[in-house]
Amino acid sequence: MKVLVIGANGTLGSAVVTALRERGHQVVTASRTHADVTVDITDPESIRAMYARVGAVDAVACAAGNVPWFPLAELGTADVRAGLEGKVVSQVELVRQGAAVLPDHASYTLITGILAREPLLSGSVASLVNGAVEAFVRAAAIELPGRQRINAVSPTVFTESLDVYGDTFAGFDPVPVARAANAYVKSVEGHRTGQVFRVE
């Protein structure tokens, strides 16, 4: 299959690219920089240009989405909107635009995270947006055209990212990022839709 991986330069995106290529798929990478196609998923026009340049793909795998981390008392309206734009609206737009131009059998795999079900201090926006994406996946699954499918991958913290997050995820059992990448493979190659694949 020809798979478009968005956020291909990050820890998760790189692992997804590797896993898919090892399975024999043709991978087209997309990111803000250093990719086959440059894209800013918070900009609908950039998404439109990306799809026009890439053409028909069998699957879209998104591993991108920025979310601000602040204590609730310090959150401003702009921070909430930034989280929604960075991880929810951006991924909804990927699907909304893709549904109109991609083949009847295309699939979408979006990224959420464990904070949708296990909140942490200063992570209220992350919990909000992850939960919103998961709700969207369930709803969009019954409205996508033809045989198009949609799922989400919802991982806990990665072993490879512990040095970045420090004690934020104290008590959580980290997983190798390769496990989350395998969940993308499951979504891309499988037949299920409207699912949230938990990796924890």
Side-chain angles (χ1 to χ4, degrees), residues 68-72 75 115 120-126:
W69 282 69
F70 296 110
L72 183 62
L75 277 178
L115 267 69
L120 292 172
L121 288 175
S122 300
S124 58
V125 174

Side-chain angles (χ1 to χ4, degrees), residues 34 108 113-114 117 191:
H34 307 298
Y108 312 88
I114 195 169
R117 53 195 177 276
H191 303 281

Side-chain angles (χ1 to χ4, degrees), residues 66-164:
N66 294 319
V67 179
W69 282 69
F70 296 110
L72 183 62
E74 297 177 15
L75 277 178
T77 303
D79 300 314
V80 177
R81 287 177 174 160
L84 291 168
E85 288 287 340
K87 198 165 186 179
V88 182
V89 178
S90 55
Q91 293 194 95
V92 170
E93 191 68 10
L94 285 171
V95 177
R96 191 189 71 78
Q97 290 196 34
V101 299
L102 295 185
D104 181 70
H105 63 271
S107 72
Y108 312 88
T109 306
L110 308 184
I111 182 65
T112 69
I114 195 169
L115 267 69
R117 53 195 177 276
E118 293 199 36
L120 292 172
L121 288 175
S122 300
S124 58
V125 174
S127 292
L128 166 69
V129 300
N130 288 337
V133 172
E134 293 183 9
F136 170 73
V137 163
R138 289 188 289 269
I142 65 172
E143 291 197 57
L144 285 171
R147 295 179 293 116
Q148 288 190 6
R149 299 182 300 107
I150 183 170
N151 297 299
V153 174
S154 182
T156 186
V157 65
F158 301 132
T159 306
E160 293 84 351
S161 302
L162 286 177
D163 59 337
V164 175

